[in-house]
């Protein structure tokens, strides 16, 4: 099948990924709804805040244009109950001077002639002197709004004074001005009645008019400019958090890694996300402006629609670019909310500072403005301030599109314009986007691999002929040179033969057309810890990371003491002595010189315990992990070449160890997505997806979301994805995990059929699966190939021997009847004695209906005669059936793994503690069978005592002590142990050669 290349493939991948992003957003409706319509909620909050403030200033004309104010005539003295916060009972006014009859008459006329409302005498309180009034006001405050103080000097002169509380107060949005509300009415009433008293005309007209001074409206409080920056930042944070979460989820679940193995272009990946988020941002920004206009904000009505819309669009797009960049530093999707909240808090604080004028003022240097403008929320706050000031009063015209580059109305300093903010937002967006691509390449991926810091300066990166070689460790890592791999000669004849064949082909330059993959000395080494003077760079144990089967963990940690060493080094002069690093790294080999051929039309099964290097080998073949040494050719393409790896990814299919699927996508959508990424012709994608679903029996579940699939269904879908596009090499990493027996058999049939015309590499922990499917099997342990060959070959070489099952009469498939016990047991003893006498073996398993014997390989010459005689005596022994076979592949696997573990423990000098019944603790070398105990010599036991140690493998494959024999005397033929004065309850045991024990028994 011809696959697409170049620009057509890029467009096809972009289209498929864009569709994937659309489906994920559509099926996560809650998140998408919040992104699009959260603005309605926040703009409604701004509207409520604005209305609350408007109600508080509703009684004031300061915020209105007053051109010809209406006059106020004869202001009456208001009732005391009209005063804000007055205490009852209250008085309309108090007065002093009640010792004068004339003044008493004036006060009576003030009460009677109050316009519109005569004042009752009970609402007025009189005193003799001003001091008495002050004493009363002090003792009973808030009972009277004002007081009049009269003094009759002579018949023609009456003086008066006014006393009011001039402090303005506000209640429920209404201001109270004591001067205008209480003082002026008292003043008019007192002057009117004094004048009438002096003139002697009670009807004298005293008409006083008051008018407010004409004035323009002062600048209103703008809720959009004050709380808008915070609320609009909150709107953008929804898209910001969701975008970071989506990117990190695909990285954390290795979804992007799976697409990369299928040949995904990074450019298609980033452009698909950028386009989709750009559309969401466009719609969200449009809704912001429309909702603002719906709530009749002058900010949205008086400024140009395009000016406001472009501001919100560029700001939200800038935040998306910022999210792209931050996502490259994060590895857990759960941290996206924390990061988003932190950005919001920081943005809120910096916006608050921006609203108060920093640094967009003539008082600050350009340097501060440049640094401050790099953070998007600050630009939004300044833009909202400019646009709000441009519509702060009714006569302000706002900012039009044609005047966006001019100074905004009411902006006296004009340090930055709206057009400048647009330029800053566009420029910083491209900065964030480019930094996202850069950090995505130089930060370690999920496998700990990254490019060099200056990878973009290499010509090969742009020409596609190199420059993509990966490195390991973080940017600030303590990385040392990895020593060259030692040339290790295999200790197995089949492995050595395979290695020699590969080396010979490489030496002669022979290209075997029947070889799909040729691995040539492949090596992968992870550096360990290095010491630098008195400080230390630490990392997690890389070998344990390999055991996780998910690639190496290069989680380096640079201690602060290291900084104390590094920073002063930059401050020293060239002549100063600097403490140089002390010796180098301890290294962990994941793969140690692998030489093997994978033929076409065959299934090669790679077995090994956890941490053996199987997954690391696959990661190297698929380009996920860079190799340390050696090479591998996949259909002639080198995995060390970027061009070669690009071609390899077009012809391979991979079923990873863990299901790499989107929960929200259906099985059909997965297959169509990966078909598009692979480069299948668009016309064939749907038919190929349907055929793949039929092959793995998922037709009925084609439209179900993968998140509702069972474990077995997910594995079947992963196998179908691996076979998409008719790949020449298929890598299946534990493909049948979690399947029921019926489904497993069906998948085995699929794999068996898939061998035709291609090579398959299979890893599994099911020995039955390996036995049935594989043409050749190789077992790895501790990074090295331990054996290779067919299943029969491995069983005959590494099995414990032959398995003989003897069934007795009266039993069916090993099951006995209740009445047959008395018959079967005597036969058991006779058969056991027969096997013991002729083959020197005892039963490994015993039942009332059968016996199982393990016959070593060295007894093979006796078997023909032995079984002939046994068959002749079947009736005598009551034998119903005899079955003979080789040991299981599982036993071979365990023997190889145990042997490798023993070799590794011996090389490392590992020790285990053994506590004897006497309380003595003996340090036993791992794997030692007979161990002498120093310090136990006596007259009865001149050479001391020893124990036989039993070993077993734990869940990780490591050898551990399972038990030991009682303490027995060391035979006299064994050389004496070194003399030891035991000073504690802990001693180091002495290994005794088992052959010496055996020879002593024979004697």
């Amino acid at each position: 099948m011809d696959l697409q290349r170049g620009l057509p493939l890029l467009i096809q991948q972009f289209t498929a990924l864009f569709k994937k992003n659309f489906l994920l957003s559509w099926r996560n409706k809650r998140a998408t709804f919040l992104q699009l319509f959260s603005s309605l909620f926040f703009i409604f909050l701004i509207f409520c805040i604005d209305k609350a403030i408007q109600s508080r200033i509703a009684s004031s004309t300061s915020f209105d244009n007053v051109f010809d104010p209406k006059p106020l005539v004869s202001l009456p003295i208001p009732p005391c109950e009209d005063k804000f916060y007055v205490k009852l009972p209250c008085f309309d006014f108090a007065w002093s001077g009640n010792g004068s009859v004339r003044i008493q008459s004036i006060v009576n006329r003030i009460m009677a002639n109050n316009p519109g409302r005569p004042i009752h005498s009970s609402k007025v309180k009189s005193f003799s002197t001003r001091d008495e009034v002050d004493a009363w006001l002090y003792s009973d405050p808030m009972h009277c709004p004002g007081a009049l103080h009269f003094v009759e000097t002579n018949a023609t002169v009456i003086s008066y004074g006014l006393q009011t509380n001039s402090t303005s107060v506000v209640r429920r949005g209404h201001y109270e001005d004591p001067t205008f509300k209480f003082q002026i009415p008292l003043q008019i009433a007192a002057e009117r009645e004094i004048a009438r008293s002096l003139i002697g005309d009670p009807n004298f007209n005293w008409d006083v008019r008051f008018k407010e001074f004409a004035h323009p409206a002062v600048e209103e409080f703008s809720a959009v400019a004050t709380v808008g920056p915070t609320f609009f930042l909150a709107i953008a944070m929804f898209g910001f958090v969701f975008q970071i979460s989506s990117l990190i989820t695909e990285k954390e679940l290795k979804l992007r890694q799976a697409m990369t193995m299928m040949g995904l272009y990074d450019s298609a990946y980033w452009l698909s996300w950028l386009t989709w988020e750009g559309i969401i941002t466009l719609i969200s920004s449009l809704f912001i402006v429309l909702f603002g206009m719906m709530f009749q904000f002058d900010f949205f009505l008086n400024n140009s629609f395009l000016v406001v819309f472009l501001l919100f669009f560029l700001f939200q797009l800038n935040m998306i670019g910022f999210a792209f960049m931050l996502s490259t530093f994060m590895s857990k999707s759960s941290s996206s909310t924390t990061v988003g909240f932190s950005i919001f808090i920081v943005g809120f604080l910096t916006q608050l500072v921006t609203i108060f004028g920093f640094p967009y003022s003539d008082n600050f240097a350009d340097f501060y403005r440049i640094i401050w403008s790099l953070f998007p929320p600050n630009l939004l706050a300044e833009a909202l301030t400019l646009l709000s000031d441009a519509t702060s009063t009714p006569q302000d015209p706002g900012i039009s599109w044609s005047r966006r580059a001019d100074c905004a109305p009411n902006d006296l300093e004009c340090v930055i314009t709206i057009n400048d903010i647009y330029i800053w937002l566009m420029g910083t967006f491209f900065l964030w986007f480019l930094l996202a691509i850069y950090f995505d390449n130089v930060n370690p991926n999920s496998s700990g691999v990254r490019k060099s810091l200056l990878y973009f300066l290499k010509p090969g990166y742009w020409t596609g002929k190199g420059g993509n070689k990966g490195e390991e460790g973080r940017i600030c890592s303590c990385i040392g040179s990895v020593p060259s791999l030692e040339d290790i000669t295999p200790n197995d004849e089949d492995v050595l033969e395979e290695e020699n064949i590969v080396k010979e082909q490489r030496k002669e330059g022979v290209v075997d057309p029947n070889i799909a993959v040729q691995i040539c000395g492949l090596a992968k080494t992870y550096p360990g810890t290095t010491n630098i003077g008195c400080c230390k760079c630490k990392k997690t144990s890389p070998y344990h990371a390999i055991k996780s089967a998910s690639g190496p963990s290069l989680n380096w940690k640079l201690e602060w003491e290291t900084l104390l060493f590094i920073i002063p080094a930059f401050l020293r002069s060239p002549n100063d002595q600097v403490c140089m690093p002390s010796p180098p790294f301890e290294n962990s080999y994941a793969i140690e010189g692998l030489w093997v051929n994978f033929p076409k039309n065959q299934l090669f099964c790679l077995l090994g315990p956890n941490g053996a290097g199987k997954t690391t080998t696959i990661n190297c073949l698929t380009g996920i992990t860079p190799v340390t040494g050696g090479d591998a050719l996949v259909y002639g393409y080198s995995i060390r070449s970027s061009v070669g790896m690009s071609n390899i990814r077009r012809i391979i299919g991979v079923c990873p160890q863990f299901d790499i699927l989107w929960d929200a996508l259906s099985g059909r959508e997965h297959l169509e997505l990966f078909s598009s990424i692979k480069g299948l012709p668009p016309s064939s994608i749907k038919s190929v997806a349907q055929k793949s679903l039929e092959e793995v029996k998922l037709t009925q579940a084609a439209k179900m979301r993968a998140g509702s699939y069972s474990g077995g269904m997910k594995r079947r879908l992963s196998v179908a994805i691996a076979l998409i596009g008719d790949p020449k090499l298929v890598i299946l990493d534990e493909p049948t995990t979690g399947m029921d027996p019926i489904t497993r058999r069906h998948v085995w049939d699929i794999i068996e059929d898939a061998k035709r015309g291609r090579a398959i590499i299979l890893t599994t922990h099911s020995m039955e699966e390996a036995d049935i499917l594989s043409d050749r099997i190789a077992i790895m342990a501790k990074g090295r190939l331990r054996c290779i060959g067919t299943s029969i070959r491995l069983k005959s070489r590494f099995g414990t021997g032959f398995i003989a099952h003897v069934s007795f009469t009266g039993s069916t498939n090993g099951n006995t009847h209740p009445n047959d016990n008395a018959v079967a047991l005597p036969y058991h003893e006779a058969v056991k004695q027969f096997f013991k006498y002729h083959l020197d073996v005892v039963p490994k398993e015993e039942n009332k209906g059968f016996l199982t014997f393990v016959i070593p390989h060295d007894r093979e010459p006796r078997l023909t005669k032995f079984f002939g005689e046994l068959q002749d005596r079947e009736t005598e022994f009551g034998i119903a059936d005899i079955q003979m076979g080789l040991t299981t592949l599982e036993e071979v696997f365990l023997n190889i793994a145990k042997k490798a573990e023993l070799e590794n423990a011996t090389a490392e000098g590992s020790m285990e503690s053994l506590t004897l019944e006497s309380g003595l603790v003996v340090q036993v070398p791992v794997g030692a069978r007979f161990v002498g105990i120093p310090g136990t010599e006596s007259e009865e036991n001149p050479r001391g005592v020893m124990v036989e140690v039993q070993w077993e493998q734990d869940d990780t494959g490591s050898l551990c002590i399972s038990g030991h024999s009682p303490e027995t005397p060391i035979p006299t033929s064994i050389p004496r142990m070194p003399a030891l004065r035991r000073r504690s309850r802990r001693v180091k045991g002495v290994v005794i050669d088992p052959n010496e024990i055996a020879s002593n028994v024979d004697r």
Side-chain angles (χ1 to χ4, degrees), residues 139-294:
S139 61
D140 293 312
M142 300 301 294
H143 286 277
C144 181
L148 290 171
H149 302 289
F150 296 97
V151 177
E152 184 180 9
T153 305
N154 51 46
T156 59
V157 177
I158 299 176
S159 62
Y160 77 97
L162 283 172
Q163 186 176 6
T164 59
N165 186 347
S166 61
T167 303
S168 297
V169 292
V170 62
R171 186 180 66 181
R172 297 178 181 176
H174 294 278
Y175 283 95
E176 181 182 75
D177 184 357
T179 301
F180 193 77
K181 187 174 182 180
F182 296 105
Q183 180 177 325
I184 292 178
L186 284 174
Q187 180 181 350
I188 293 175
E191 290 178 353
R192 181 184 65 244
E193 299 306 328
I194 291 174
R196 288 175 177 177
S197 175
L198 293 176
I199 296 174
D201 184 1
N203 296 320
F204 177 72
N205 186 20
W206 186 271
D207 190 8
V208 180
R209 296 173 178 264
F210 289 92
K211 290 184 66 175
E212 182 182 3
F213 197 82
H215 62 82
V218 299
E219 183 176 321
E220 289 188 33
F221 170 85
S222 174
V224 174
T226 306
V227 300
T230 301
F231 286 0
F232 291 128
L233 175 60
I235 295 171
M237 291 311 297
F238 283 101
F240 179 87
V241 171
F242 293 144
Q243 182 58 57
I244 284 187
S245 180
S246 298
L247 291 170
I248 300 173
T249 298
E250 291 189 343
K251 180 166 59 174
E252 182 181 7
L253 300 180
K254 299 188 178 180
L255 296 167
R256 184 180 173 191
Q257 177 178 295
M259 293 188 289
T260 300
M261 288 191 293
M262 299 291 280
L264 175 68
Y265 292 149
D266 285 345
S267 52
Y269 179 79
W270 286 110
L271 286 175
S272 67
W273 272 119
L274 177 61
T275 305
W276 173 248
E277 289 299 328
I279 292 174
I280 292 293
T281 297
L282 186 72
I283 299 173
S284 175
S285 303
L286 182 63
F287 281 151
I288 290 175
V289 180
L290 292 178
F291 291 147
M293 297 175 70
M294 181 179 72

Side-chain angles (χ1 to χ4, degrees), residues 604-899:
F604 189 94
C605 187
L606 196 59
L607 302 178
N610 291 333
K614 307 184 301 299
T615 301
T616 305
T617 301
I618 290 176
N619 289 343
C620 290
L621 291 177
T622 55
I624 295 175
T625 302
V627 300
T628 304
D631 197 2
L633 301 178
V634 180
Y635 285 89
Y637 299 116
S638 171
I639 64 172
R640 299 190 71 121
S641 164
S642 59
V643 177
M645 184 51 66
S646 177
N647 290 321
I648 289 171
R649 285 173 173 162
R650 295 175 59 82
I651 59 175
I652 67 172
V654 183
C655 174
Q657 187 174 13
F658 302 102
D659 297 307
I660 301 178
L661 306 171
W662 286 270
D663 288 344
L665 297 184
S666 68
R668 186 189 304 277
E669 289 161 352
H670 274 96
L671 291 170
E672 292 178 354
L673 171 63
F674 282 102
S675 296
S676 300
I677 292 174
K678 195 76 174 179
L680 272 67
S683 58
S684 66
I685 288 177
K686 291 188 179 295
S687 61
V688 169
Q690 182 63 31
K691 181 181 177 182
S692 298
L693 289 168
E694 292 173 356
E695 288 179 348
V696 295
K697 293 185 177 180
L698 287 176
T699 307
Q700 299 298 324
K703 296 182 179 180
M704 287 175 55
R705 297 186 186 183
S708 61
Y709 281 10
S710 65
M713 295 170 71
K714 290 181 179 180
R715 293 310 288 161
R716 279 186 278 161
L717 180 57
S718 297
V719 171
I721 291 172
L723 296 174
I724 281 287
D726 194 23
K728 294 182 179 180
L729 172 65
V730 178
I731 300 174
L732 305 174
D733 198 355
E734 301 181 20
T736 58
T737 302
M739 292 186 184
D740 60 85
I742 296 176
T743 306
R744 184 184 299 117
R745 291 284 178 177
H746 176 67
V747 172
W748 287 354
D749 293 338
I750 296 173
I751 296 173
E752 191 67 36
D753 294 338
K755 285 196 295 186
R756 290 190 294 270
R758 58 169 65 92
I760 298 179
I761 302 175
L762 171 71
T763 70
T764 181
H765 286 298
S766 170
M767 298 301 111
E768 180 188 11
E769 183 171 281
D771 211 351
I772 292 174
L773 295 177
S774 61
D775 296 290
R776 286 207 305 165
I777 299 174
I779 299 179
M780 291 183 69
K782 300 298 181 184
R784 293 169 57 190
L785 201 61
R786 302 292 174 165
C787 63
I788 189 170
T790 63
S791 176
I792 296 177
R793 171 72 174 172
L794 297 183
K795 290 176 182 178
S796 63
R797 290 196 60 224
F798 300 99
T800 55
F802 301 92
I803 304 294
H805 295 279
V806 181
S807 300
F808 296 94
T809 56
S811 65
T812 302
N813 297 328
N815 296 321
T816 62
H817 299 290
N819 298 328
D820 295 330
N821 295 347
V823 178
L825 293 178
Y827 288 153
H828 281 206
E829 294 302 324
V831 173
K832 286 193 284 185
Q833 291 297 328
F834 188 79
F835 271 82
K836 179 67 176 177
Y837 177 78
H838 289 86
L839 300 178
D840 192 24
V841 294
V842 296
K844 180 182 180 182
E845 187 176 352
E846 184 173 356
N847 191 288
K848 294 178 182 180
F850 69 90
L851 295 174
T852 300
F853 297 88
V854 177
I855 305 172
H857 285 292
D858 58 4
R859 314 289 202 277
E860 186 175 352
R862 313 180 202 175
L863 294 183
T864 303
K865 180 180 178 181
F866 170 78
F867 281 105
E869 185 177 347
L870 184 62
Q871 284 181 332
D872 293 339
R873 302 179 65 177
E874 281 184 348
T875 304
E876 177 186 347
F877 291 149
I879 296 175
D881 184 37
I882 302 173
Q883 296 178 1
M884 183 71 176
L886 291 171
T887 52
T888 62
L889 188 60
E890 181 176 356
E891 191 170 354
V892 173
F893 177 86
L894 293 174
N895 289 339
I896 294 294
K898 186 173 182 179
K899 182 180 178 182

Side-chain angles (χ1 to χ4, degrees), residues 351-358:
Q351 284 182 334
L352 195 63
V353 175
T354 303
I355 291 173
F356 283 104
F358 178 87

Side-chain angles (χ1 to χ4, degrees), residues 969-981:
I970 297 176
T972 56
S973 61
I974 306 297
R976 291 180 179 275
M977 292 182 293
L980 174 68
R981 175 181 289 181

